[in-house]
Amino acid sequence: MTGPGYNFAYLDEGTKRMIRRAILKGIAVPGYQVPFSAREMPMPYGWGTGGVQVTAACLLPEDRLKVIDQGADDTTNAVSIRRFFERTAHVATTTSTTAATVIQTRHRIPEHPLREGQILVFQVPIPEPLRFLEPRETETRRMHSLEEYGLMHVKLYEDIARHGTIATSYAYPVRVEGRYVMDPSPIPKFDNPRLSDCAAIQLFGAGREQRIYALPPHTQVVSLDFEDHPFDPGKAPHDCDLCGAVDSYLDEVITDDRGGRMFVCSDTDHCTCRRAAGHSGRLAAPLPAGRA
Amino acid sequence: MGAVELGISAGMKPEGPLLSVRGLTRFYGARIGCADVSFDLWPGEVMGIVGESGSGKSTLLSCLAGHLVPDAGEVILATGAGPRDVLAMSEAERRRLSRGDWAFVHQNPRDGLRMGVSAGGNVGERLMAVGARHYGDIRARATDWLERVEIAAERIDDRPSAFSGGMQQRLQIARSLVTGPRLVFMDEPTGGLDVSVQARLLDLLRGLVREMGLSAIIVTHDLAVVRLLADRLMVMKSGRVVEQGLTDQVLDDPQHGYTQLLVSSVLQV
């Protein structure tokens, strides 16, 4: 795959130009879904074809790329996309959040605050937050253009009526700069507060649905809620068992078939850095396999 | 016309008509949908539109409610800021109107309800669309309205698909009226219901319309419905209004040949 036959970062320059125009429009109108003519990518839909195209359009030879999947740098999706750009763009890659200039992510925002100059690219399966209540695309577009967002609260109302609390725990709808309601991609609602006033550029790419949207730096993003049921980011009532972090998003890992479990940071880079800095959690010793 | 002395517009200022329609015309290609329809609707007045299938009743109603764009004519609505031509409004304004100030009751409740959303959510949607953001308040008002349309409060979390046809229609009415509209458009509100359910629904509608001082335009082919509900009647044939006047006057002393035919073809059981 290396060598001739591929342009830098796989896509041809005309396509990148088209995607960049969509990105610029998205940044100019935060939260607005810009249509673009997504290309077939050498990976299946649902594996980040939208995110990959946005990343390809943003990458420069001197960039340093980090790819995460559910916070981890070593899962299949992350490894394959990182390898894809190593081969087609020959860019440097990293697992460090602070060292990276472009971060493509699936379902998480890194724990470490992003800085100015970084670009965070989200993979989005369904960009339309109103889709499950209003199946007609013509109608949802009109609702966006006329700012008719009552329906979004109907979804939250249904949650409370059925579960007693807003049970939507990921892809939690947000309102951008008091205008567009946006689906923040399936990040946990724990990450929602980080969308707001972020110093980095946040780009969202949906390949199958052919939409790009964006949040420029320091955009105000508010999670929707009711006055008597305010937004709650939620957090598992545990500390990380490896690095002892009390404020990170945790994965529950089943360790045996007798009820043993541990909670670890979903952001592997965050956890590794904290352990290297001397923090340690309940099970931080070199882990014996199958410990109860 | 004789709306003021009906005495149902208590609390409203009967200074002028709520809605005045002038020369409303809609063509479907070369065919006439409705042609040159003019009338005034006064606050608190219920107007019936009757006629056979294809006479242009539903076309007229859709044009009035903004679902169809008429080819000619004007629809002037009295608003807080003076009379406005509804057809000249921007779409955003018109849709704001249709969320708050007026409501549309469809013949088939499935067209007016969200079948995948609970009864409470259906009633609450209009409240949330006009900015209600307090769950407890929304739920309390939804419960209140379900009771007013005779749906048990404990069914609030059931979906409309679990309701009978008559309940669905009552739910649609609750959903339409919860924001306290001034004007309600109803397209065959009792169509497709059996006779006893129709009677209860009509009773309920009559109560609500009188109690809230609503203005309403009811399209139907059922003369019993207009006899019960409407103050004034308009008879349509082939897209044109052939006769209009007070309901009892038109039904008891029809002048136009078609109206005479219509009145005489009602079955007497």
Side-chain angles (χ1 to χ4, degrees):
Chain A
M1 270 181 78
T2 51
Y6 284 98
N7 187 26
F8 172 75
Y10 187 76
L11 293 174
D12 61 275
E13 290 303 315
T15 301
K16 285 194 213 166
R17 187 179 143 96
M18 173 270 294
I19 294 173
R20 287 173 192 148
R21 289 174 71 121
I23 292 173
L24 287 175
K25 184 166 178 181
I27 287 179
V29 192
Y32 171 71
Q33 300 168 43
V34 185
F36 78 112
S37 61
R39 301 292 190 243
E40 293 259 347
M41 297 302 281
M43 61 182 68
Y45 287 122
W47 281 70
T49 54
V52 162
Q53 289 177 76
V54 171
T55 304
C58 292
L59 270 186
L60 298 173
E62 58 269 29
D63 267 328
R64 187 174 291 272
L65 178 71
K66 169 183 164 80
V67 184
I68 50 176
D69 169 11
Q70 307 271 14
D73 292 279
D74 52 2
T75 46
T76 313
N77 196 212
V79 169
S80 63
I81 291 175
R82 187 161 57 232
R83 199 173 291 158
F84 175 77
F85 282 115
E86 278 169 0
R87 286 169 122 175
T88 59
H90 304 288
V91 289
T93 54
T94 178
T95 58
S96 159
T97 303
T98 45
T101 54
V102 177
I103 304 174
Q104 181 170 338
T105 175
R106 172 174 176 265
H107 300 192
R108 272 313 305 281
I109 295 176
E111 303 284 350
H112 193 282
L114 300 175
R115 62 179 154 77
E116 197 177 319
Q118 285 182 312
I119 299 177
L120 184 61
V121 179
F122 293 79
Q123 302 171 196
V124 182
I126 297 166
E128 179 50 72
L130 301 161
R131 177 62 68 237
F132 287 104
L133 289 151
E134 178 52 69
R136 289 167 294 177
E137 174 70 17
T138 47
E139 186 65 15
T140 52
R141 282 200 208 182
R142 195 172 297 139
M143 290 160 84
H144 279 296
S145 65
L146 298 177
E147 260 184 279
E148 285 186 14
Y149 291 130
L151 198 53
M152 208 65 251
H153 275 85
V154 173
K155 181 176 188 291
L156 303 180
Y157 170 94
E158 288 289 288
D159 263 9
I160 303 174
R162 209 167 298 158
H163 305 288
T165 161
I166 298 178
T168 303
S169 56
Y170 65 94
Y172 192 104
V174 293
R175 187 140 200 196
V176 180
E177 288 288 343
R179 177 61 180 87
Y180 284 99
V181 164
M182 182 187 96
D183 181 339
S185 87
I187 59 171
K189 65 177 175 178
F190 177 85
D191 282 342
N192 268 20
R194 280 195 202 127
L195 290 166
S196 192
D197 199 29
C198 175
I201 296 177
Q202 301 175 82
L203 304 175
F204 299 76
R208 179 172 33 204
E209 303 282 328
Q210 313 202 321
R211 293 288 184 277
I212 286 174
Y213 47 104
L215 297 174
H218 304 293
T219 306
Q220 186 210 9
V221 179
V222 178
S223 304
L224 301 181
D225 59 4
F226 285 102
E227 286 158 17
D228 48 347
H229 284 81
F231 173 74
D232 169 25
K235 157 122 178 56
H238 299 274
D239 301 343
C240 174
D241 282 336
L242 293 181
C243 75
V246 296
D247 55 355
S248 66
Y249 189 73
L250 302 174
D251 282 339
E252 184 180 11
V253 181
I254 306 293
T255 51
D256 57 35
D257 56 3
R258 295 188 303 278
R261 64 190 53 192
M262 63 189 292
F263 289 88
V264 296
C265 291
S266 112
D267 186 339
T268 50
D269 173 56
H270 181 67
C271 205
T272 316
C273 290
R274 277 181 55 85
R275 292 178 74 187
H279 298 279
S280 72
R282 190 171 62 96
L283 305 173
L287 257 190
R291 160 156 186 191
Chain B
M1 300 187 116
V4 181
E5 67 264 33
L6 286 171
I8 48 175
S9 47
M12 296 260 184
K13 281 170 281 172
E15 282 167 357
L18 177 65
L19 192 73
S20 43
V21 179
R22 292 288 172 267
L24 201 70
T25 304
R26 161 85 196 195
F27 288 101
Y28 293 110
R31 283 187 198 83
I32 292 176
C34 61
D36 200 23
V37 177
S38 303
F39 65 89
D40 288 330
L41 184 75
W42 294 73
E45 186 184 30
V46 179
M47 160 98 113
I49 303 177
V50 296
E52 61 195 1
S53 300
S55 60
K57 316 182 293 279
S58 296
T59 301
L60 174 60
L61 198 68
S62 301
C63 286
L64 292 176
H67 299 172
L68 275 179
V69 181
D71 294 313
E74 50 187 20
V75 179
I76 311 284
L77 180 77
T79 65
R84 296 282 315 273
D85 187 350
V86 175
L87 304 176
M89 283 181 183
S90 69
E91 193 184 3
E93 277 181 295
R94 200 156 53 228
R95 283 177 69 122
R96 199 173 309 129
L97 261 186
S98 67
R99 288 202 299 269
D101 254 10
W102 70 34
F104 197 101
V105 176
H106 293 265
Q107 173 174 11
N108 186 345
R110 281 161 193 273
D111 295 337
L113 293 173
R114 290 193 189 276
M115 299 306 281
V117 169
S118 70
N122 264 296
V123 178
E125 181 182 345
R126 267 177 79 95
L127 292 171
M128 293 182 244
V130 294
R133 292 290 180 266
H134 191 284
Y135 175 81
D137 291 353
I138 294 169
R139 196 154 171 93
R141 286 185 67 181
T143 312
D144 175 45
W145 265 98
L146 288 183
E147 278 165 357
R148 286 172 81 168
V149 298
E150 299 166 17
I151 295 175
E154 77 248 23
R155 310 270 329 241
I156 188 168
D157 291 332
D158 291 353
R159 294 186 176 185
S161 47
F163 286 5
S164 70
M167 280 172 82
Q168 288 180 1
Q169 193 58 284
R170 277 178 278 147
L171 179 62
Q172 196 195 175
I173 288 165
R175 172 185 157 99
S176 305
L177 299 187
V178 66
T179 47
R182 293 187 294 154
L183 176 57
V184 185
F185 300 104
M186 297 190 204
D187 189 3
E188 309 261 9
T190 58
L193 300 177
D194 70 61
V195 191
S196 60
V197 175
Q198 267 191 29
R200 278 182 59 201
L201 187 75
L202 283 175
D203 226 30
L204 176 79
L205 270 179
R206 188 163 54 169
L208 289 173
V209 165
R210 294 291 183 259
E211 177 192 331
M212 298 176 71
L214 287 177
S215 304
I217 298 182
I218 300 180
V219 160
T220 180
H221 50 236
D222 188 344
L223 292 184
V225 171
V226 288
R227 176 77 93 174
L228 268 170
L229 283 178
D231 305 313
R232 211 146 52 83
L233 191 59
M234 217 160 76
V235 183
M236 290 188 74
K237 169 130 177 47
S238 310
R240 290 172 194 282
V241 177
V242 295
E243 186 167 353
Q244 57 176 317
L246 294 177
T247 304
D248 293 346
Q249 178 193 328
V250 174
L251 291 183
D252 294 341
D253 183 19
Q255 301 294 309
H256 190 272
Y258 174 71
T259 320
Q260 292 170 354
L261 180 72
L262 195 69
V263 171
S264 63
S265 42
V266 174
L267 280 179
Q268 303 294 330
V269 184

